Amino acid sequence: MSTSTCRCGAEWGGFRTSHCTACHQTFNSDAAGDKHRVGEHHLSAGPNRRRCRTEAEMLDLGMSRNDRGHWITKARIDSVVEGLAELLDEDGF
Ligand SMILES: [Zn+2]
Ligand SMILES: [Zn+2]
């Protein structure tokens, strides 16, 4: 498995792990990385500019860190739970 590094000193490995070169947080998946960005893609200034969420904002969204300190999103887990609920419905529970 290859390991990537950043000038901030972060090291990470794995195919889906991503590191933000703007805020230097490491994300366990593309989904988590996407979730930490907010605003309009084409704006570089103003309240709706494209930027990274702060740590407090990520926590507010329900994101958390795994044991390696990588940010994870709970959204994927939620969708799995929803999928299971649908399966149970189909089975007549
Ligand atoms: Zn960032
Ligand atoms: Zn970095």
mmCIF file with all atom_site columns, all heavy atoms in Angstrom, residues 5-12 19-26, ligand 2:
data_model
loop_
_atom_site.group_PDB
_atom_site.id
_atom_site.type_symbol
_atom_site.label_atom_id
_atom_site.label_alt_id
_atom_site.label_comp_id
_atom_site.label_asym_id
_atom_site.label_entity_id
_atom_site.label_seq_id
_atom_site.pdbx_PDB_ins_code
_atom_site.Cartn_x
_atom_site.Cartn_y
_atom_site.Cartn_z
_atom_site.occupancy
_atom_site.B_iso_or_equiv
_atom_site.pdbx_formal_charge
_atom_site.auth_seq_id
_atom_site.auth_comp_id
_atom_site.auth_asym_id
_atom_site.auth_atom_id
_atom_site.pdbx_PDB_model_num
ATOM   1   N  N   . THR A 1 5  ? 2.238  11.813 1.422  1.00 0.00 ? 5  THR A N   1
ATOM   2   C  CA  . THR A 1 5  ? 2.604  12.786 2.450  1.00 0.00 ? 5  THR A CA  1
ATOM   3   C  C   . THR A 1 5  ? 2.302  14.186 1.955  1.00 0.00 ? 5  THR A C   1
ATOM   4   O  O   . THR A 1 5  ? 2.145  14.418 0.753  1.00 0.00 ? 5  THR A O   1
ATOM   5   C  CB  . THR A 1 5  ? 4.110  12.707 2.792  1.00 0.00 ? 5  THR A CB  1
ATOM   6   O  OG1 . THR A 1 5  ? 4.853  12.891 1.592  1.00 0.00 ? 5  THR A OG1 1
ATOM   7   C  CG2 . THR A 1 5  ? 4.468  11.355 3.396  1.00 0.00 ? 5  THR A CG2 1
ATOM   8   N  N   . CYS A 1 6  ? 2.225  15.096 2.871  1.00 0.00 ? 6  CYS A N   1
ATOM   9   C  CA  . CYS A 1 6  ? 1.987  16.503 2.539  1.00 0.00 ? 6  CYS A CA  1
ATOM   10  C  C   . CYS A 1 6  ? 3.048  17.337 3.233  1.00 0.00 ? 6  CYS A C   1
ATOM   11  O  O   . CYS A 1 6  ? 3.610  16.917 4.244  1.00 0.00 ? 6  CYS A O   1
ATOM   12  C  CB  . CYS A 1 6  ? 0.584  16.913 2.994  1.00 0.00 ? 6  CYS A CB  1
ATOM   13  S  SG  . CYS A 1 6  ? 0.194  18.645 2.696  1.00 0.00 ? 6  CYS A SG  1
ATOM   14  N  N   . ARG A 1 7  ? 3.248  18.539 2.705  1.00 0.00 ? 7  ARG A N   1
ATOM   15  C  CA  . ARG A 1 7  ? 4.251  19.417 3.308  1.00 0.00 ? 7  ARG A CA  1
ATOM   16  C  C   . ARG A 1 7  ? 3.892  19.810 4.733  1.00 0.00 ? 7  ARG A C   1
ATOM   17  O  O   . ARG A 1 7  ? 4.741  20.282 5.488  1.00 0.00 ? 7  ARG A O   1
ATOM   18  C  CB  . ARG A 1 7  ? 4.446  20.668 2.448  1.00 0.00 ? 7  ARG A CB  1
ATOM   19  C  CG  . ARG A 1 7  ? 3.190  21.487 2.263  1.00 0.00 ? 7  ARG A CG  1
ATOM   20  C  CD  . ARG A 1 7  ? 3.383  22.548 1.177  1.00 0.00 ? 7  ARG A CD  1
ATOM   21  N  NE  . ARG A 1 7  ? 2.121  22.928 0.572  1.00 0.00 ? 7  ARG A NE  1
ATOM   22  C  CZ  . ARG A 1 7  ? 1.299  23.848 1.079  1.00 0.00 ? 7  ARG A CZ  1
ATOM   23  N  NH1 . ARG A 1 7  ? 1.610  24.461 2.169  1.00 0.00 ? 7  ARG A NH1 1
ATOM   24  N  NH2 . ARG A 1 7  ? 0.165  24.119 0.477  1.00 0.00 ? 7  ARG A NH2 1
ATOM   25  N  N   . CYS A 1 8  ? 2.624  19.606 5.142  1.00 0.00 ? 8  CYS A N   1
ATOM   26  C  CA  . CYS A 1 8  ? 2.237  19.921 6.516  1.00 0.00 ? 8  CYS A CA  1
ATOM   27  C  C   . CYS A 1 8  ? 2.675  18.829 7.479  1.00 0.00 ? 8  CYS A C   1
ATOM   28  O  O   . CYS A 1 8  ? 2.561  18.966 8.684  1.00 0.00 ? 8  CYS A O   1
ATOM   29  C  CB  . CYS A 1 8  ? 0.727  20.131 6.623  1.00 0.00 ? 8  CYS A CB  1
ATOM   30  S  SG  . CYS A 1 8  ? -0.234 18.611 6.461  1.00 0.00 ? 8  CYS A SG  1
ATOM   31  N  N   . GLY A 1 9  ? 3.163  17.712 6.937  1.00 0.00 ? 9  GLY A N   1
ATOM   32  C  CA  . GLY A 1 9  ? 3.626  16.630 7.788  1.00 0.00 ? 9  GLY A CA  1
ATOM   33  C  C   . GLY A 1 9  ? 2.657  15.466 7.876  1.00 0.00 ? 9  GLY A C   1
ATOM   34  O  O   . GLY A 1 9  ? 2.983  14.432 8.459  1.00 0.00 ? 9  GLY A O   1
ATOM   35  N  N   . ALA A 1 10 ? 1.481  15.622 7.282  1.00 0.00 ? 10 ALA A N   1
ATOM   36  C  CA  . ALA A 1 10 ? 0.489  14.551 7.326  1.00 0.00 ? 10 ALA A CA  1
ATOM   37  C  C   . ALA A 1 10 ? 0.932  13.381 6.452  1.00 0.00 ? 10 ALA A C   1
ATOM   38  O  O   . ALA A 1 10 ? 1.563  13.577 5.407  1.00 0.00 ? 10 ALA A O   1
ATOM   39  C  CB  . ALA A 1 10 ? -0.864 15.071 6.861  1.00 0.00 ? 10 ALA A CB  1
ATOM   40  N  N   . GLU A 1 11 ? 0.611  12.191 6.895  1.00 0.00 ? 11 GLU A N   1
ATOM   41  C  CA  . GLU A 1 11 ? 0.839  10.989 6.103  1.00 0.00 ? 11 GLU A CA  1
ATOM   42  C  C   . GLU A 1 11 ? -0.445 10.200 6.074  1.00 0.00 ? 11 GLU A C   1
ATOM   43  O  O   . GLU A 1 11 ? -1.144 10.097 7.065  1.00 0.00 ? 11 GLU A O   1
ATOM   44  C  CB  . GLU A 1 11 ? 1.930  10.114 6.755  1.00 0.00 ? 11 GLU A CB  1
ATOM   45  C  CG  . GLU A 1 11 ? 3.326  10.607 6.515  1.00 0.00 ? 11 GLU A CG  1
ATOM   46  C  CD  . GLU A 1 11 ? 4.342  9.603  7.052  1.00 0.00 ? 11 GLU A CD  1
ATOM   47  O  OE1 . GLU A 1 11 ? 4.013  8.407  7.131  1.00 0.00 ? 11 GLU A OE1 1
ATOM   48  O  OE2 . GLU A 1 11 ? 5.445  10.050 7.413  1.00 0.00 ? 11 GLU A OE2 1
ATOM   49  N  N   . TRP A 1 12 ? -0.749 9.651  4.915  1.00 0.00 ? 12 TRP A N   1
ATOM   50  C  CA  . TRP A 1 12 ? -1.959 8.843  4.826  1.00 0.00 ? 12 TRP A CA  1
ATOM   51  C  C   . TRP A 1 12 ? -1.790 7.815  3.728  1.00 0.00 ? 12 TRP A C   1
ATOM   52  O  O   . TRP A 1 12 ? -0.971 7.966  2.825  1.00 0.00 ? 12 TRP A O   1
ATOM   53  C  CB  . TRP A 1 12 ? -3.185 9.706  4.577  1.00 0.00 ? 12 TRP A CB  1
ATOM   54  C  CG  . TRP A 1 12 ? -3.189 10.382 3.234  1.00 0.00 ? 12 TRP A CG  1
ATOM   55  C  CD1 . TRP A 1 12 ? -3.826 9.950  2.103  1.00 0.00 ? 12 TRP A CD1 1
ATOM   56  C  CD2 . TRP A 1 12 ? -2.505 11.608 2.869  1.00 0.00 ? 12 TRP A CD2 1
ATOM   57  N  NE1 . TRP A 1 12 ? -3.578 10.830 1.066  1.00 0.00 ? 12 TRP A NE1 1
ATOM   58  C  CE2 . TRP A 1 12 ? -2.780 11.838 1.506  1.00 0.00 ? 12 TRP A CE2 1
ATOM   59  C  CE3 . TRP A 1 12 ? -1.696 12.508 3.578  1.00 0.00 ? 12 TRP A CE3 1
ATOM   60  C  CZ2 . TRP A 1 12 ? -2.269 12.941 0.840  1.00 0.00 ? 12 TRP A CZ2 1
ATOM   61  C  CZ3 . TRP A 1 12 ? -1.192 13.605 2.898  1.00 0.00 ? 12 TRP A CZ3 1
ATOM   62  C  CH2 . TRP A 1 12 ? -1.479 13.821 1.550  1.00 0.00 ? 12 TRP A CH2 1
ATOM   63  N  N   . HIS A 1 19 ? -6.518 14.114 1.268  1.00 0.00 ? 19 HIS A N   1
ATOM   64  C  CA  . HIS A 1 19 ? -5.988 15.146 2.144  1.00 0.00 ? 19 HIS A CA  1
ATOM   65  C  C   . HIS A 1 19 ? -6.242 16.494 1.498  1.00 0.00 ? 19 HIS A C   1
ATOM   66  O  O   . HIS A 1 19 ? -6.001 16.665 0.306  1.00 0.00 ? 19 HIS A O   1
ATOM   67  C  CB  . HIS A 1 19 ? -4.481 14.906 2.340  1.00 0.00 ? 19 HIS A CB  1
ATOM   68  C  CG  . HIS A 1 19 ? -3.840 15.883 3.258  1.00 0.00 ? 19 HIS A CG  1
ATOM   69  N  ND1 . HIS A 1 19 ? -3.950 15.793 4.623  1.00 0.00 ? 19 HIS A ND1 1
ATOM   70  C  CD2 . HIS A 1 19 ? -3.087 16.974 3.016  1.00 0.00 ? 19 HIS A CD2 1
ATOM   71  C  CE1 . HIS A 1 19 ? -3.269 16.794 5.178  1.00 0.00 ? 19 HIS A CE1 1
ATOM   72  N  NE2 . HIS A 1 19 ? -2.742 17.525 4.230  1.00 0.00 ? 19 HIS A NE2 1
ATOM   73  N  N   . CYS A 1 20 ? -6.769 17.427 2.247  1.00 0.00 ? 20 CYS A N   1
ATOM   74  C  CA  . CYS A 1 20 ? -7.062 18.742 1.706  1.00 0.00 ? 20 CYS A CA  1
ATOM   75  C  C   . CYS A 1 20 ? -5.821 19.612 1.812  1.00 0.00 ? 20 CYS A C   1
ATOM   76  O  O   . CYS A 1 20 ? -5.298 19.808 2.910  1.00 0.00 ? 20 CYS A O   1
ATOM   77  C  CB  . CYS A 1 20 ? -8.226 19.381 2.447  1.00 0.00 ? 20 CYS A CB  1
ATOM   78  S  SG  . CYS A 1 20 ? -8.639 21.005 1.794  1.00 0.00 ? 20 CYS A SG  1
ATOM   79  N  N   . THR A 1 21 ? -5.383 20.124 0.662  1.00 0.00 ? 21 THR A N   1
ATOM   80  C  CA  . THR A 1 21 ? -4.177 20.948 0.675  1.00 0.00 ? 21 THR A CA  1
ATOM   81  C  C   . THR A 1 21 ? -4.489 22.386 1.061  1.00 0.00 ? 21 THR A C   1
ATOM   82  O  O   . THR A 1 21 ? -3.595 23.224 1.091  1.00 0.00 ? 21 THR A O   1
ATOM   83  C  CB  . THR A 1 21 ? -3.491 20.920 -0.704 1.00 0.00 ? 21 THR A CB  1
ATOM   84  O  OG1 . THR A 1 21 ? -4.443 21.282 -1.696 1.00 0.00 ? 21 THR A OG1 1
ATOM   85  C  CG2 . THR A 1 21 ? -2.938 19.540 -0.994 1.00 0.00 ? 21 THR A CG2 1
ATOM   86  N  N   . ALA A 1 22 ? -5.755 22.677 1.331  1.00 0.00 ? 22 ALA A N   1
ATOM   87  C  CA  . ALA A 1 22 ? -6.123 24.024 1.776  1.00 0.00 ? 22 ALA A CA  1
ATOM   88  C  C   . ALA A 1 22 ? -6.170 24.101 3.297  1.00 0.00 ? 22 ALA A C   1
ATOM   89  O  O   . ALA A 1 22 ? -5.597 24.996 3.902  1.00 0.00 ? 22 ALA A O   1
ATOM   90  C  CB  . ALA A 1 22 ? -7.460 24.422 1.177  1.00 0.00 ? 22 ALA A CB  1
ATOM   91  N  N   . CYS A 1 23 ? -6.848 23.148 3.930  1.00 0.00 ? 23 CYS A N   1
ATOM   92  C  CA  . CYS A 1 23 ? -6.986 23.206 5.390  1.00 0.00 ? 23 CYS A CA  1
ATOM   93  C  C   . CYS A 1 23 ? -6.169 22.111 6.070  1.00 0.00 ? 23 CYS A C   1
ATOM   94  O  O   . CYS A 1 23 ? -6.081 22.074 7.288  1.00 0.00 ? 23 CYS A O   1
ATOM   95  C  CB  . CYS A 1 23 ? -8.449 23.110 5.800  1.00 0.00 ? 23 CYS A CB  1
ATOM   96  S  SG  . CYS A 1 23 ? -9.230 21.515 5.453  1.00 0.00 ? 23 CYS A SG  1
ATOM   97  N  N   . HIS A 1 24 ? -5.578 21.228 5.279  1.00 0.00 ? 24 HIS A N   1
ATOM   98  C  CA  . HIS A 1 24 ? -4.695 20.168 5.775  1.00 0.00 ? 24 HIS A CA  1
ATOM   99  C  C   . HIS A 1 24 ? -5.371 19.226 6.764  1.00 0.00 ? 24 HIS A C   1
ATOM   100 O  O   . HIS A 1 24 ? -4.782 18.800 7.751  1.00 0.00 ? 24 HIS A O   1
ATOM   101 C  CB  . HIS A 1 24 ? -3.411 20.766 6.358  1.00 0.00 ? 24 HIS A CB  1
ATOM   102 C  CG  . HIS A 1 24 ? -2.601 21.449 5.290  1.00 0.00 ? 24 HIS A CG  1
ATOM   103 N  ND1 . HIS A 1 24 ? -1.895 20.752 4.342  1.00 0.00 ? 24 HIS A ND1 1
ATOM   104 C  CD2 . HIS A 1 24 ? -2.468 22.753 4.997  1.00 0.00 ? 24 HIS A CD2 1
ATOM   105 C  CE1 . HIS A 1 24 ? -1.342 21.628 3.518  1.00 0.00 ? 24 HIS A CE1 1
ATOM   106 N  NE2 . HIS A 1 24 ? -1.672 22.833 3.887  1.00 0.00 ? 24 HIS A NE2 1
ATOM   107 N  N   . GLN A 1 25 ? -6.609 18.912 6.476  1.00 0.00 ? 25 GLN A N   1
ATOM   108 C  CA  . GLN A 1 25 ? -7.288 17.836 7.181  1.00 0.00 ? 25 GLN A CA  1
ATOM   109 C  C   . GLN A 1 25 ? -7.247 16.615 6.272  1.00 0.00 ? 25 GLN A C   1
ATOM   110 O  O   . GLN A 1 25 ? -7.201 16.740 5.051  1.00 0.00 ? 25 GLN A O   1
ATOM   111 C  CB  . GLN A 1 25 ? -8.749 18.202 7.470  1.00 0.00 ? 25 GLN A CB  1
ATOM   112 C  CG  . GLN A 1 25 ? -8.927 19.446 8.314  1.00 0.00 ? 25 GLN A CG  1
ATOM   113 C  CD  . GLN A 1 25 ? -8.608 19.212 9.778  1.00 0.00 ? 25 GLN A CD  1
ATOM   114 O  OE1 . GLN A 1 25 ? -8.419 18.085 10.225 1.00 0.00 ? 25 GLN A OE1 1
ATOM   115 N  NE2 . GLN A 1 25 ? -8.525 20.294 10.528 1.00 0.00 ? 25 GLN A NE2 1
ATOM   116 N  N   . THR A 1 26 ? -7.262 15.438 6.870  1.00 0.00 ? 26 THR A N   1
ATOM   117 C  CA  . THR A 1 26 ? -7.266 14.207 6.101  1.00 0.00 ? 26 THR A CA  1
ATOM   118 C  C   . THR A 1 26 ? -8.640 13.567 6.218  1.00 0.00 ? 26 THR A C   1
ATOM   119 O  O   . THR A 1 26 ? -9.240 13.540 7.290  1.00 0.00 ? 26 THR A O   1
ATOM   120 C  CB  . THR A 1 26 ? -6.177 13.251 6.617  1.00 0.00 ? 26 THR A CB  1
ATOM   121 O  OG1 . THR A 1 26 ? -4.923 13.938 6.590  1.00 0.00 ? 26 THR A OG1 1
ATOM   122 C  CG2 . THR A 1 26 ? -6.068 12.019 5.725  1.00 0.00 ? 26 THR A CG2 1
HETATM 123 ZN ZN  . ZN  B 2 .  ? -1.327 18.932 4.421  1.00 0.00 ? 2  ZN  B ZN  1
#
